[in-house]
Amino acid sequence: MEGAAQRGVLAVLVVLAGLAACGSGSEIIEGPKNVTALKGSEARFNCTISQGWKLIMWALRGTVVLSMTPSEPIITSDRFTSASYQEGGNFISEMIIHDVQLSDAGQVKCSLQNSNRDGSAFLSVQVMGQLLIPGGSLVVIEDKPCNVTCRALNWTTLPDLSWEIGVPVSHSSYYSVLEPEDLQSAVSILALTPQGNGTVTCVAEMKGLDVRESVTVNLTVVPPPLDSIDKPGASLPTWAIVLLAVSLSLLLILIIVLIIIFCCCVSRTEKEESSYQSEIRKSATVKTSKDTVGTKLKSANENYGYRSDEPKTTQPASLHAKSSEAGVPEQRSSRQPHQVIQTFSPFWTFFFFFLPLNTLASWQAIMLCS
């Protein structure tokens, strides 16, 4: 192999020495362009030359790896081959690098014998490493946040990592960071709150290449355990929190209304009792005055020389008024307990009927949240 390579190099030198004396009037019209290739793939470079050329040389990283004459190419390695085209009266020389390696990355130059002008480009080589999701298929709890990790190992250069989510979720986000101890590796973490079964896919895309790699895992969602509500830090779903808040608000409003009703009833009862006591005191005052008048009349009867200035018809009227006024307190006294009972009956009925119902609704909301 080494002997064949040496003979190829000697042949190139001989041809170059022979053509150097002949000269050349052609020139490079357009040189090669930069190429990014994946390790193990092919890289192609084109060089456009005017007619009349004698020798075209292709160099990689400063070393001539391929030469072409008008009659045939001079090949020194099977990894470097050539192709040629005619376009608009110009000649296009193409160098093909097979099985590109990381060591091939560098400058590529196209030049002509006895010409001061050349064309150059740069070859970039990228390596597709390994993409994996540790643990494979995952089993997670419904409506509970979880993380899925994707690792890109031994990539050059590092790819762009993204996610394709094939499960119903209430929230999802992801971020990517470099491995602290390996600059050729990266980690992407997907945070999501799943609500059903499905798949998640981690996608790696190479920069500058139409190449992508992906890995997919199944996501199985199971209902939360029954005892999870007793564990510290267990959170309730949003709908349960809203229902509980509404129930507590209604209970608070009901308590306020009951307090207002109670205060109104107490105030009304106090007013009625105060009016009743005033009438009793008034009746007692009237009775006392009547007794005093009666005593005077009795004394006058005993004293035959005494004549009352008041008409006799006053006594029956007074007695009638006394009888009528004395009956008023008794009548109000008999009605007062009935009015109190009627006042408090709707209140206690409302209190003892609706308050347990609202409390029962709150307990049902708490049980549903659990």
Side-chain angles (χ1 to χ4, degrees), residues 64-212:
V64 177
V65 294
L66 179 65
S67 299
M68 294 185 63
T69 64
S71 59
E72 61 180 356
I74 302 174
I75 299 175
T76 59
S77 174
D78 293 339
R79 290 184 58 236
F80 303 95
T81 60
S82 66
S84 60
Y85 313 95
Q86 293 289 337
E87 185 180 87
N90 297 322
F91 180 82
I92 299 178
S93 175
E94 182 179 48
M95 179 181 69
I96 306 171
I97 304 177
H98 302 273
D99 190 20
V100 175
Q101 301 296 317
L102 281 174
S103 58
D104 295 334
Q107 188 183 50
V108 176
K109 183 183 291 185
C110 170
S111 62
L112 297 175
Q113 182 64 35
N114 293 337
S115 176
N116 295 327
R117 183 182 178 185
D118 57 25
S120 62
F122 194 85
L123 172 62
S124 300
V125 180
Q126 295 187 2
V127 178
M128 181 181 290
Q130 187 180 10
L131 188 68
L132 56 92
I133 298 179
S137 299
L138 303 174
V139 178
V140 296
I141 299 176
E142 183 180 3
D143 284 325
K144 182 177 181 180
C146 63
N147 294 334
V148 183
T149 302
C150 178
R151 297 183 181 274
L153 306 177
N154 302 321
W155 290 68
T156 308
T157 60
L158 288 175
D160 293 329
L161 298 177
S162 61
W163 290 87
E164 295 177 355
I165 302 175
V167 296
V169 297
S170 60
H171 169 76
S172 66
S173 63
Y174 71 90
Y175 64 93
S176 301
V177 295
L178 296 176
E179 287 279 14
E181 298 180 357
D182 187 0
L183 298 180
Q184 294 183 341
S185 301
V187 177
S188 181
I189 298 176
L190 171 66
L192 73 163
T193 304
Q195 296 180 329
N197 299 331
T199 61
V200 292
T201 302
C202 179
V203 180
E205 295 182 342
M206 302 289 292
K207 298 177 181 179
L209 293 174
D210 188 16
V211 177
R212 57 177 280 167

Side-chain angles (χ1 to χ4, degrees), residues 9-336:
V9 172
L10 291 175
V12 171
L13 294 176
V14 171
V15 172
L16 293 177
L19 294 175
C22 299
S24 175
S26 63
E27 61 179 358
I28 298 175
I29 299 176
E30 184 179 2
K33 298 180 180 180
N34 295 337
V35 173
T36 300
L38 191 64
K39 179 183 177 182
S41 64
E42 292 183 350
R44 294 173 178 265
F45 297 90
N46 293 335
C47 187
T48 303
I49 306 168
S50 62
Q51 296 294 339
W53 60 276
K54 300 299 181 182
L55 180 66
I56 303 173
M57 294 175 293
W58 287 94
L60 177 61
R61 302 183 63 178
T63 302
V64 177
V65 294
L66 179 65
S67 299
M68 294 185 63
T69 64
S71 59
E72 61 180 356
I74 302 174
I75 299 175
T76 59
S77 174
D78 293 339
R79 290 184 58 236
F80 303 95
T81 60
S82 66
S84 60
Y85 313 95
Q86 293 289 337
E87 185 180 87
N90 297 322
F91 180 82
I92 299 178
S93 175
E94 182 179 48
M95 179 181 69
I96 306 171
I97 304 177
H98 302 273
D99 190 20
V100 175
Q101 301 296 317
L102 281 174
S103 58
D104 295 334
Q107 188 183 50
V108 176
K109 183 183 291 185
C110 170
S111 62
L112 297 175
Q113 182 64 35
N114 293 337
S115 176
N116 295 327
R117 183 182 178 185
D118 57 25
S120 62
F122 194 85
L123 172 62
S124 300
V125 180
Q126 295 187 2
V127 178
M128 181 181 290
Q130 187 180 10
L131 188 68
L132 56 92
I133 298 179
S137 299
L138 303 174
V139 178
V140 296
I141 299 176
E142 183 180 3
D143 284 325
K144 182 177 181 180
C146 63
N147 294 334
V148 183
T149 302
C150 178
R151 297 183 181 274
L153 306 177
N154 302 321
W155 290 68
T156 308
T157 60
L158 288 175
D160 293 329
L161 298 177
S162 61
W163 290 87
E164 295 177 355
I165 302 175
V167 296
V169 297
S170 60
H171 169 76
S172 66
S173 63
Y174 71 90
Y175 64 93
S176 301
V177 295
L178 296 176
E179 287 279 14
E181 298 180 357
D182 187 0
L183 298 180
Q184 294 183 341
S185 301
V187 177
S188 181
I189 298 176
L190 171 66
L192 73 163
T193 304
Q195 296 180 329
N197 299 331
T199 61
V200 292
T201 302
C202 179
V203 180
E205 295 182 342
M206 302 289 292
K207 298 177 181 179
L209 293 174
D210 188 16
V211 177
R212 57 177 280 167
E213 180 73 9
S214 63
V215 57
T216 301
V217 296
N218 293 323
L219 203 66
T220 303
V221 176
V222 298
L226 297 178
D227 58 347
S228 61
I229 57 175
D230 298 330
K231 296 181 180 179
S235 60
L236 298 177
T238 304
W239 65 267
I241 296 176
V242 172
L243 181 61
L244 183 60
V246 171
S247 300
L248 293 178
S249 301
L250 294 177
L251 178 61
L252 180 61
I253 294 173
L254 178 61
I255 293 175
I256 294 174
V257 172
L258 292 177
I259 292 175
I260 294 174
I261 294 175
F262 178 77
C263 293
C264 293
C265 293
V266 171
S267 176
R268 180 179 177 183
T269 303
E270 290 178 353
K271 289 181 180 179
E272 291 180 353
E273 289 180 353
S274 177
S275 176
Y276 175 70
Q277 292 175 358
S278 298
E279 291 181 357
I280 291 178
R281 285 195 296 270
K282 182 178 179 181
S283 177
T285 302
V286 172
K287 182 178 181 182
T288 303
S289 62
K290 297 301 180 179
D291 291 341
T292 303
V293 172
T295 304
K296 290 181 179 181
L297 291 175
K298 185 177 180 182
S299 300
N301 292 332
E302 293 176 356
N303 186 3
Y304 297 99
Y306 173 77
R307 177 178 292 178
S308 176
D309 295 333
E310 297 178 358
K312 294 183 179 181
T313 59
T314 304
Q315 184 174 359
S318 300
L319 293 175
H320 178 72
K322 178 179 178 182
S323 174
S324 175
E325 291 176 357
V328 172
E330 293 176 0
Q331 182 180 2
R332 293 190 179 183
S333 175
S334 62
R335 291 182 181 180
Q336 184 67 22

